[in-house]
Amino acid sequence: GAVVSQHPSWVICKSGTSVKIECRSLDFQATTMFWYRQFPKQSLMLMATSNEGSKATYEQGVEKDKFLINHASLTLSTLTVTSAHPEDSSFYICSARESWGTGNTIYFGEGSWLTVV
Amino acid sequence: AQTVTQSQPEMSVQEAETVTLSCTYDTSESDYYLFWYKQPPSRQMILVIRQEAYKQQNATENRFSVNFQKAAKSFSLKISDSQLGDAAMYFCAYKSQGAQKLVFGQGTRLTINP
């Protein structure tokens, strides 16, 4: 199947700083990527939908100025958590929608653990 | 809005036995896709199987098969010959034909007993 790579897998940052997480589709072009947050023992919560070359669409309740999403190419989307606080500590997962065929299968990255201290 | 319900928070099965995970969904659309994703302790989301709503034949991938009942809006996952490596959270997901995003169920934690 298609491969989506997420980096870094683990990151610790100081409160008040910003941290960037990258999501790459390695062997396919993804016009659409998605960013999720997952709390312990819960399902995935969609944060935003990212379309290549345009602004991301954020879900209700997600601060777009805090969670900056950039999708500059067909293979790369980035999530930047700005002015991070301990409550932003979480597991963040990206996914990418294949552009070929029906574009109806979505593949996930390995996820990134963010700890804000 | 579409919703996906997994009514079993936890399930367990003996190794080599068969287990079925339940999933129901609510939609008014006729064209859509259904998925089962596996999330092992590594937290990587792995696509297990997918079903197109227009197909009457149930999808099968090796030991994994689904029972897709469109009229009942049910999409259960059957795992045959359960293996220790099948232990994970399993998420049922829905995607309508015209939409970009997935709608997830709450997940079912599957434990395999040796």
PDB file of all heavy atoms in Angstrom, chain B residues 59-86:
ATOM      1  N   ALA B  59     -15.999  -7.648   1.035  1.00  0.00           N
ATOM      2  CA  ALA B  59     -14.553  -7.606   0.844  1.00  0.00           C
ATOM      3  C   ALA B  59     -13.862  -8.626   1.745  1.00  0.00           C
ATOM      4  O   ALA B  59     -14.315  -8.915   2.863  1.00  0.00           O
ATOM      5  CB  ALA B  59     -14.037  -6.206   1.144  1.00  0.00           C
ATOM      6  N   THR B  60     -12.755  -9.142   1.245  1.00  0.00           N
ATOM      7  CA  THR B  60     -11.955 -10.120   1.990  1.00  0.00           C
ATOM      8  C   THR B  60     -10.478  -9.824   1.771  1.00  0.00           C
ATOM      9  O   THR B  60     -10.072  -9.532   0.641  1.00  0.00           O
ATOM     10  CB  THR B  60     -12.257 -11.548   1.527  1.00  0.00           C
ATOM     11  OG1 THR B  60     -13.631 -11.837   1.774  1.00  0.00           O
ATOM     12  CG2 THR B  60     -11.405 -12.548   2.272  1.00  0.00           C
ATOM     13  N   GLU B  61      -9.723  -9.887   2.859  1.00  0.00           N
ATOM     14  CA  GLU B  61      -8.269  -9.736   2.789  1.00  0.00           C
ATOM     15  C   GLU B  61      -7.652 -10.786   3.708  1.00  0.00           C
ATOM     16  O   GLU B  61      -7.550 -10.606   4.913  1.00  0.00           O
ATOM     17  CB  GLU B  61      -7.823  -8.336   3.235  1.00  0.00           C
ATOM     18  CG  GLU B  61      -8.149  -7.222   2.286  1.00  0.00           C
ATOM     19  CD  GLU B  61      -7.296  -7.237   1.031  1.00  0.00           C
ATOM     20  OE1 GLU B  61      -6.214  -7.885   1.039  1.00  0.00           O
ATOM     21  OE2 GLU B  61      -7.712  -6.604   0.041  1.00  0.00           O
ATOM     22  N   ASN B  62      -7.288 -11.896   3.126  1.00  0.00           N
ATOM     23  CA  ASN B  62      -6.681 -12.992   3.882  1.00  0.00           C
ATOM     24  C   ASN B  62      -7.603 -13.413   5.036  1.00  0.00           C
ATOM     25  O   ASN B  62      -8.710 -13.881   4.799  1.00  0.00           O
ATOM     26  CB  ASN B  62      -5.296 -12.578   4.370  1.00  0.00           C
ATOM     27  CG  ASN B  62      -4.379 -12.237   3.223  1.00  0.00           C
ATOM     28  OD1 ASN B  62      -4.298 -12.963   2.239  1.00  0.00           O
ATOM     29  ND2 ASN B  62      -3.685 -11.112   3.324  1.00  0.00           N
ATOM     30  N   ARG B  63      -7.158 -13.235   6.289  1.00  0.00           N
ATOM     31  CA  ARG B  63      -7.965 -13.683   7.427  1.00  0.00           C
ATOM     32  C   ARG B  63      -9.055 -12.687   7.818  1.00  0.00           C
ATOM     33  O   ARG B  63      -9.845 -12.953   8.732  1.00  0.00           O
ATOM     34  CB  ARG B  63      -7.056 -13.903   8.635  1.00  0.00           C
ATOM     35  CG  ARG B  63      -6.008 -14.996   8.429  1.00  0.00           C
ATOM     36  CD  ARG B  63      -5.162 -15.200   9.693  1.00  0.00           C
ATOM     37  NE  ARG B  63      -4.351 -14.024  10.028  1.00  0.00           N
ATOM     38  CZ  ARG B  63      -4.605 -13.196  11.033  1.00  0.00           C
ATOM     39  NH1 ARG B  63      -5.637 -13.390  11.824  1.00  0.00           N
ATOM     40  NH2 ARG B  63      -3.806 -12.156  11.264  1.00  0.00           N
ATOM     41  N   PHE B  64      -9.089 -11.567   7.151  1.00  0.00           N
ATOM     42  CA  PHE B  64     -10.040 -10.511   7.476  1.00  0.00           C
ATOM     43  C   PHE B  64     -11.148 -10.456   6.429  1.00  0.00           C
ATOM     44  O   PHE B  64     -10.864 -10.434   5.228  1.00  0.00           O
ATOM     45  CB  PHE B  64      -9.334  -9.152   7.549  1.00  0.00           C
ATOM     46  CG  PHE B  64      -8.257  -9.081   8.597  1.00  0.00           C
ATOM     47  CD1 PHE B  64      -6.965  -9.487   8.305  1.00  0.00           C
ATOM     48  CD2 PHE B  64      -8.548  -8.611   9.861  1.00  0.00           C
ATOM     49  CE1 PHE B  64      -5.966  -9.424   9.282  1.00  0.00           C
ATOM     50  CE2 PHE B  64      -7.563  -8.537  10.835  1.00  0.00           C
ATOM     51  CZ  PHE B  64      -6.275  -8.944  10.547  1.00  0.00           C
ATOM     52  N   SER B  65     -12.363 -10.427   6.881  1.00  0.00           N
ATOM     53  CA  SER B  65     -13.491 -10.297   5.967  1.00  0.00           C
ATOM     54  C   SER B  65     -14.551  -9.424   6.632  1.00  0.00           C
ATOM     55  O   SER B  65     -14.553  -9.241   7.855  1.00  0.00           O
ATOM     56  CB  SER B  65     -14.057 -11.671   5.605  1.00  0.00           C
ATOM     57  OG  SER B  65     -14.538 -12.319   6.761  1.00  0.00           O
ATOM     58  N   VAL B  66     -15.422  -8.899   5.808  1.00  0.00           N
ATOM     59  CA  VAL B  66     -16.483  -8.059   6.346  1.00  0.00           C
ATOM     60  C   VAL B  66     -17.834  -8.657   6.001  1.00  0.00           C
ATOM     61  O   VAL B  66     -17.974  -9.430   5.058  1.00  0.00           O
ATOM     62  CB  VAL B  66     -16.404  -6.611   5.813  1.00  0.00           C
ATOM     63  CG1 VAL B  66     -15.105  -5.949   6.240  1.00  0.00           C
ATOM     64  CG2 VAL B  66     -16.597  -6.563   4.302  1.00  0.00           C
ATOM     65  N   ASN B  67     -18.803  -8.297   6.808  1.00  0.00           N
ATOM     66  CA  ASN B  67     -20.194  -8.605   6.526  1.00  0.00           C
ATOM     67  C   ASN B  67     -20.888  -7.263   6.344  1.00  0.00           C
ATOM     68  O   ASN B  67     -21.196  -6.568   7.317  1.00  0.00           O
ATOM     69  CB  ASN B  67     -20.824  -9.391   7.671  1.00  0.00           C
ATOM     70  CG  ASN B  67     -22.262  -9.792   7.357  1.00  0.00           C
ATOM     71  OD1 ASN B  67     -22.800  -9.523   6.267  1.00  0.00           O
ATOM     72  ND2 ASN B  67     -22.911 -10.446   8.292  1.00  0.00           N
ATOM     73  N   PHE B  68     -21.075  -6.886   5.093  1.00  0.00           N
ATOM     74  CA  PHE B  68     -21.641  -5.590   4.752  1.00  0.00           C
ATOM     75  C   PHE B  68     -23.127  -5.763   4.482  1.00  0.00           C
ATOM     76  O   PHE B  68     -23.526  -6.453   3.534  1.00  0.00           O
ATOM     77  CB  PHE B  68     -20.928  -5.018   3.529  1.00  0.00           C
ATOM     78  CG  PHE B  68     -21.531  -3.757   2.984  1.00  0.00           C
ATOM     79  CD1 PHE B  68     -21.861  -2.698   3.815  1.00  0.00           C
ATOM     80  CD2 PHE B  68     -21.755  -3.617   1.617  1.00  0.00           C
ATOM     81  CE1 PHE B  68     -22.412  -1.528   3.312  1.00  0.00           C
ATOM     82  CE2 PHE B  68     -22.297  -2.450   1.092  1.00  0.00           C
ATOM     83  CZ  PHE B  68     -22.628  -1.405   1.942  1.00  0.00           C
ATOM     84  N   GLN B  69     -23.932  -5.160   5.319  1.00  0.00           N
ATOM     85  CA  GLN B  69     -25.381  -5.199   5.176  1.00  0.00           C
ATOM     86  C   GLN B  69     -25.860  -3.767   4.934  1.00  0.00           C
ATOM     87  O   GLN B  69     -26.071  -3.005   5.882  1.00  0.00           O
ATOM     88  CB  GLN B  69     -26.026  -5.780   6.434  1.00  0.00           C
ATOM     89  CG  GLN B  69     -25.586  -7.179   6.785  1.00  0.00           C
ATOM     90  CD  GLN B  69     -26.118  -8.205   5.804  1.00  0.00           C
ATOM     91  OE1 GLN B  69     -27.207  -8.049   5.246  1.00  0.00           O
ATOM     92  NE2 GLN B  69     -25.334  -9.250   5.574  1.00  0.00           N
ATOM     93  N   LYS B  70     -26.000  -3.411   3.658  1.00  0.00           N
ATOM     94  CA  LYS B  70     -26.280  -2.017   3.322  1.00  0.00           C
ATOM     95  C   LYS B  70     -27.626  -1.547   3.863  1.00  0.00           C
ATOM     96  O   LYS B  70     -27.745  -0.436   4.374  1.00  0.00           O
ATOM     97  CB  LYS B  70     -26.228  -1.814   1.804  1.00  0.00           C
ATOM     98  CG  LYS B  70     -26.249  -0.355   1.380  1.00  0.00           C
ATOM     99  CD  LYS B  70     -25.999  -0.194  -0.102  1.00  0.00           C
ATOM    100  CE  LYS B  70     -25.929   1.282  -0.489  1.00  0.00           C
ATOM    101  NZ  LYS B  70     -25.656   1.477  -1.934  1.00  0.00           N
ATOM    102  N   ALA B  71     -28.624  -2.371   3.741  1.00  0.00           N
ATOM    103  CA  ALA B  71     -29.958  -1.964   4.211  1.00  0.00           C
ATOM    104  C   ALA B  71     -29.969  -1.741   5.717  1.00  0.00           C
ATOM    105  O   ALA B  71     -30.607  -0.813   6.217  1.00  0.00           O
ATOM    106  CB  ALA B  71     -30.991  -3.013   3.826  1.00  0.00           C
ATOM    107  N   ALA B  72     -29.247  -2.566   6.414  1.00  0.00           N
ATOM    108  CA  ALA B  72     -29.170  -2.446   7.867  1.00  0.00           C
ATOM    109  C   ALA B  72     -28.104  -1.459   8.304  1.00  0.00           C
ATOM    110  O   ALA B  72     -27.985  -1.158   9.491  1.00  0.00           O
ATOM    111  CB  ALA B  72     -28.893  -3.813   8.482  1.00  0.00           C
ATOM    112  N   LYS B  73     -27.322  -0.944   7.363  1.00  0.00           N
ATOM    113  CA  LYS B  73     -26.214  -0.026   7.653  1.00  0.00           C
ATOM    114  C   LYS B  73     -25.282  -0.631   8.699  1.00  0.00           C
ATOM    115  O   LYS B  73     -24.969  -0.015   9.723  1.00  0.00           O
ATOM    116  CB  LYS B  73     -26.760   1.339   8.090  1.00  0.00           C
ATOM    117  CG  LYS B  73     -27.569   2.014   6.984  1.00  0.00           C
ATOM    118  CD  LYS B  73     -28.140   3.348   7.404  1.00  0.00           C
ATOM    119  CE  LYS B  73     -28.989   3.918   6.269  1.00  0.00           C
ATOM    120  NZ  LYS B  73     -29.662   5.174   6.640  1.00  0.00           N
ATOM    121  N   SER B  74     -24.869  -1.828   8.389  1.00  0.00           N
ATOM    122  CA  SER B  74     -23.987  -2.564   9.277  1.00  0.00           C
ATOM    123  C   SER B  74     -22.751  -3.010   8.509  1.00  0.00           C
ATOM    124  O   SER B  74     -22.839  -3.399   7.338  1.00  0.00           O
ATOM    125  CB  SER B  74     -24.733  -3.779   9.836  1.00  0.00           C
ATOM    126  OG  SER B  74     -23.870  -4.624  10.534  1.00  0.00           O
ATOM    127  N   PHE B  75     -21.611  -2.972   9.189  1.00  0.00           N
ATOM    128  CA  PHE B  75     -20.337  -3.282   8.529  1.00  0.00           C
ATOM    129  C   PHE B  75     -19.423  -3.938   9.554  1.00  0.00           C
ATOM    130  O   PHE B  75     -18.561  -3.307  10.140  1.00  0.00           O
ATOM    131  CB  PHE B  75     -19.721  -1.981   8.000  1.00  0.00           C
ATOM    132  CG  PHE B  75     -18.443  -2.141   7.239  1.00  0.00           C
ATOM    133  CD1 PHE B  75     -18.393  -2.891   6.080  1.00  0.00           C
ATOM    134  CD2 PHE B  75     -17.274  -1.513   7.661  1.00  0.00           C
ATOM    135  CE1 PHE B  75     -17.212  -3.026   5.362  1.00  0.00           C
ATOM    136  CE2 PHE B  75     -16.087  -1.643   6.954  1.00  0.00           C
ATOM    137  CZ  PHE B  75     -16.061  -2.396   5.810  1.00  0.00           C
ATOM    138  N   SER B  76     -19.597  -5.216   9.770  1.00  0.00           N
ATOM    139  CA  SER B  76     -18.817  -5.899  10.797  1.00  0.00           C
ATOM    140  C   SER B  76     -17.549  -6.503  10.200  1.00  0.00           C
ATOM    141  O   SER B  76     -17.499  -6.851   9.022  1.00  0.00           O
ATOM    142  CB  SER B  76     -19.656  -6.985  11.474  1.00  0.00           C
ATOM    143  OG  SER B  76     -20.074  -7.939  10.533  1.00  0.00           O
ATOM    144  N   LEU B  77     -16.557  -6.638  11.039  1.00  0.00           N
ATOM    145  CA  LEU B  77     -15.263  -7.196  10.647  1.00  0.00           C
ATOM    146  C   LEU B  77     -15.071  -8.546  11.323  1.00  0.00           C
ATOM    147  O   LEU B  77     -15.177  -8.644  12.541  1.00  0.00           O
ATOM    148  CB  LEU B  77     -14.119  -6.264  11.061  1.00  0.00           C
ATOM    149  CG  LEU B  77     -12.698  -6.784  10.824  1.00  0.00           C
ATOM    150  CD1 LEU B  77     -12.390  -6.860   9.327  1.00  0.00           C
ATOM    151  CD2 LEU B  77     -11.674  -5.915  11.549  1.00  0.00           C
ATOM    152  N   LYS B  78     -14.784  -9.570  10.529  1.00  0.00           N
ATOM    153  CA  LYS B  78     -14.504 -10.883  11.069  1.00  0.00           C
ATOM    154  C   LYS B  78     -13.024 -11.195  10.897  1.00  0.00           C
ATOM    155  O   LYS B  78     -12.482 -11.073   9.801  1.00  0.00           O
ATOM    156  CB  LYS B  78     -15.343 -11.961  10.369  1.00  0.00           C
ATOM    157  CG  LYS B  78     -15.169 -13.346  10.985  1.00  0.00           C
ATOM    158  CD  LYS B  78     -16.144 -14.365  10.419  1.00  0.00           C
ATOM    159  CE  LYS B  78     -15.676 -14.921   9.105  1.00  0.00           C
ATOM    160  NZ  LYS B  78     -16.518 -16.069   8.657  1.00  0.00           N
ATOM    161  N   ILE B  79     -12.421 -11.575  12.004  1.00  0.00           N
ATOM    162  CA  ILE B  79     -11.017 -11.975  11.987  1.00  0.00           C
ATOM    163  C   ILE B  79     -10.970 -13.460  12.273  1.00  0.00           C
ATOM    164  O   ILE B  79     -11.379 -13.911  13.349  1.00  0.00           O
ATOM    165  CB  ILE B  79     -10.183 -11.203  13.028  1.00  0.00           C
ATOM    166  CG1 ILE B  79     -10.361  -9.694  12.842  1.00  0.00           C
ATOM    167  CG2 ILE B  79      -8.713 -11.592  12.926  1.00  0.00           C
ATOM    168  CD1 ILE B  79      -9.677  -8.858  13.923  1.00  0.00           C
ATOM    169  N   SER B  80     -10.486 -14.218  11.330  1.00  0.00           N
ATOM    170  CA  SER B  80     -10.386 -15.666  11.479  1.00  0.00           C
ATOM    171  C   SER B  80      -8.982 -16.043  11.933  1.00  0.00           C
ATOM    172  O   SER B  80      -8.015 -15.330  11.656  1.00  0.00           O
ATOM    173  CB  SER B  80     -10.701 -16.352  10.148  1.00  0.00           C
ATOM    174  OG  SER B  80     -11.973 -15.986   9.673  1.00  0.00           O
ATOM    175  N   ASP B  81      -8.898 -17.176  12.632  1.00  0.00           N
ATOM    176  CA  ASP B  81      -7.596 -17.669  13.066  1.00  0.00           C
ATOM    177  C   ASP B  81      -6.798 -16.547  13.746  1.00  0.00           C
ATOM    178  O   ASP B  81      -5.677 -16.205  13.324  1.00  0.00           O
ATOM    179  CB  ASP B  81      -6.827 -18.241  11.872  1.00  0.00           C
ATOM    180  CG  ASP B  81      -5.515 -18.898  12.252  1.00  0.00           C
ATOM    181  OD1 ASP B  81      -5.384 -19.328  13.413  1.00  0.00           O
ATOM    182  OD2 ASP B  81      -4.610 -18.937  11.396  1.00  0.00           O
ATOM    183  N   SER B  82      -7.376 -15.974  14.765  1.00  0.00           N
ATOM    184  CA  SER B  82      -6.767 -14.809  15.424  1.00  0.00           C
ATOM    185  C   SER B  82      -5.328 -15.079  15.843  1.00  0.00           C
ATOM    186  O   SER B  82      -5.005 -16.166  16.350  1.00  0.00           O
ATOM    187  CB  SER B  82      -7.592 -14.423  16.652  1.00  0.00           C
ATOM    188  OG  SER B  82      -8.895 -14.043  16.282  1.00  0.00           O
ATOM    189  N   GLN B  83      -4.504 -14.086  15.642  1.00  0.00           N
ATOM    190  CA  GLN B  83      -3.098 -14.183  16.016  1.00  0.00           C
ATOM    191  C   GLN B  83      -2.756 -13.098  17.032  1.00  0.00           C
ATOM    192  O   GLN B  83      -3.427 -12.070  17.103  1.00  0.00           O
ATOM    193  CB  GLN B  83      -2.228 -14.048  14.761  1.00  0.00           C
ATOM    194  CG  GLN B  83      -2.499 -15.110  13.719  1.00  0.00           C
ATOM    195  CD  GLN B  83      -1.703 -14.915  12.448  1.00  0.00           C
ATOM    196  OE1 GLN B  83      -0.925 -13.962  12.310  1.00  0.00           O
ATOM    197  NE2 GLN B  83      -1.903 -15.813  11.498  1.00  0.00           N
ATOM    198  N   LEU B  84      -1.691 -13.340  17.789  1.00  0.00           N
ATOM    199  CA  LEU B  84      -1.301 -12.384  18.826  1.00  0.00           C
ATOM    200  C   LEU B  84      -1.069 -10.991  18.236  1.00  0.00           C
ATOM    201  O   LEU B  84      -1.340  -9.966  18.866  1.00  0.00           O
ATOM    202  CB  LEU B  84      -0.056 -12.872  19.561  1.00  0.00           C
ATOM    203  CG  LEU B  84      -0.229 -14.159  20.377  1.00  0.00           C
ATOM    204  CD1 LEU B  84       1.092 -14.568  21.012  1.00  0.00           C
ATOM    205  CD2 LEU B  84      -1.305 -14.003  21.448  1.00  0.00           C
ATOM    206  N   GLY B  85      -0.585 -10.962  17.016  1.00  0.00           N
ATOM    207  CA  GLY B  85      -0.317  -9.685  16.365  1.00  0.00           C
ATOM    208  C   GLY B  85      -1.570  -8.921  15.950  1.00  0.00           C
ATOM    209  O   GLY B  85      -1.486  -7.778  15.520  1.00  0.00           O
ATOM    210  N   ASP B  86      -2.723  -9.553  16.095  1.00  0.00           N
ATOM    211  CA  ASP B  86      -3.972  -8.869  15.774  1.00  0.00           C
ATOM    212  C   ASP B  86      -4.434  -7.970  16.919  1.00  0.00           C
ATOM    213  O   ASP B  86      -5.376  -7.192  16.750  1.00  0.00           O
ATOM    214  CB  ASP B  86      -5.076  -9.884  15.460  1.00  0.00           C
ATOM    215  CG  ASP B  86      -4.790 -10.703  14.216  1.00  0.00           C
ATOM    216  OD1 ASP B  86      -4.077 -10.193  13.320  1.00  0.00           O
ATOM    217  OD2 ASP B  86      -5.271 -11.845  14.136  1.00  0.00           O
TER     218      ASP B  86
END
